[in-house]
């Protein structure tokens, strides 16, 4: 049996989405000096690094990168961040991931940051799959896609060619 794959975003489209989302983040934080880009480890963090690069080019906001480590099989266990609470307290945060599927990873990521007062909290994803089981939404999204539960989206954001493929 062959697995059918469909490219939903090619390299140029992904770069365009990254740039557009960076502009949206800038617009919603135009009066801020700093914004924390909290990327969920692996692809969410890579996506956050790319957003940081574009934000530095288009604005005078200082983007602060934060790696968020969540056990995706046991997301209720301790969430770890690469920066201390004091470094994001009373700041604007954007929680970044590559794909929003059920919302489980994103909601537990949000929960972690709510231990301290924040100025603003937003979420950004490259692909929104619309299979939510938690009340979490993507404030900034590259593409919304209705998929079946047995399908998988593979996002490649490293190397020479980026892609998002539906398998």
């Amino acid at each position: 049996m062959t697995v059918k794959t469909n490219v939903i975003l090619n390299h140029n489209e992904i770069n365009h989405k990254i740039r557009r989302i960076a502009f949206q983040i800038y617009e919603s934080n135009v009066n801020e000096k700093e914004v924390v880009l909290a990327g969920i480890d692996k692809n969410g963090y890579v996506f956050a690094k790319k957003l940081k690069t574009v934000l530095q080019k288009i604005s005078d906001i200082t983007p602060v990168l934060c790696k968020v480590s969540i056990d995706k099989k046991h997301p209720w266990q301790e969430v770890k961040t690469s920066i201390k609470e004091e470094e994001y307290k009373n700041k604007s945060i954007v929680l970044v991931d590559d794909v929003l599927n059920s919302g489980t990873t994103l909601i537990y990521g949000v929960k972690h940051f709510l231990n301290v007062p924040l100025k603003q909290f937003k979420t950004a994803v490259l692909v929104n799959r619309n299979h939510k089981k938690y009340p979490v939404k993507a404030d900034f999204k590259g593409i919304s896609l209705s998929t079946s539960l047995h399908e998988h989206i593979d996002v490649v954001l490293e190397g020479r060619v980026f892609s998002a493929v539906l398998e």
Side-chain angles (χ1 to χ4, degrees), residues 40 68 70 79 95 104-113 121:
I40 294 175
V68 180
I70 298 176
V79 173
L95 185 62
T104 304
T105 305
L106 226 48
I107 198 89
Y108 282 98
V110 168
K111 176 183 174 277
H112 171 81
F113 286 99
F121 197 103

Side-chain angles (χ1 to χ4, degrees), residues 86-148:
E86 306 85 60
E87 296 177 69
Y88 57 80
K89 186 177 184 177
N90 295 314
K91 299 261 175 75
S92 179
I93 294 181
V94 180
L95 185 62
V96 180
D97 205 0
D98 59 340
V99 178
L100 170 52
N101 189 15
S102 69
T104 304
T105 305
L106 226 48
I107 198 89
Y108 282 98
V110 168
K111 176 183 174 277
H112 171 81
F113 286 99
L114 296 179
N115 292 328
V116 299
L118 302 171
K119 241 186 207 176
Q120 176 175 259
F121 197 103
K122 301 279 187 185
T123 56
V125 298
L126 188 59
V127 180
N128 181 4
R129 288 192 58 193
N130 301 318
H131 286 297
K132 290 183 229 26
K133 63 181 187 180
Y134 293 99
V136 64
K137 70 179 177 69
D139 296 295
F140 313 116
K141 54 187 164 277
I143 188 172
S144 288
L145 195 63
S146 293
T147 59
S148 68

Side-chain angles (χ1 to χ4, degrees), residues 35-93:
V35 64
V36 176
L37 299 175
I40 294 175
D41 198 9
K42 298 286 186 258
N43 268 353
Y45 185 67
V46 175
F47 184 26
K49 286 196 293 191
K50 294 185 181 315
L51 289 169
K52 176 185 178 187
T53 301
V54 176
L55 262 174
Q56 287 173 317
K57 289 178 184 169
I58 64 170
S59 76
D60 54 0
I61 293 174
T62 302
V64 176
L65 264 182
C66 172
K67 184 184 283 188
V68 180
S69 300
I70 298 176
D71 180 344
K72 292 187 180 192
K73 290 193 180 4
H74 306 98
W76 55 88
Q77 293 180 351
E78 185 184 10
V79 173
K80 294 184 174 89
T81 56
S82 63
I83 64 175
K84 295 180 177 72
E85 280 185 359
E86 306 85 60
E87 296 177 69
Y88 57 80
K89 186 177 184 177
N90 295 314
K91 299 261 175 75
S92 179
I93 294 181

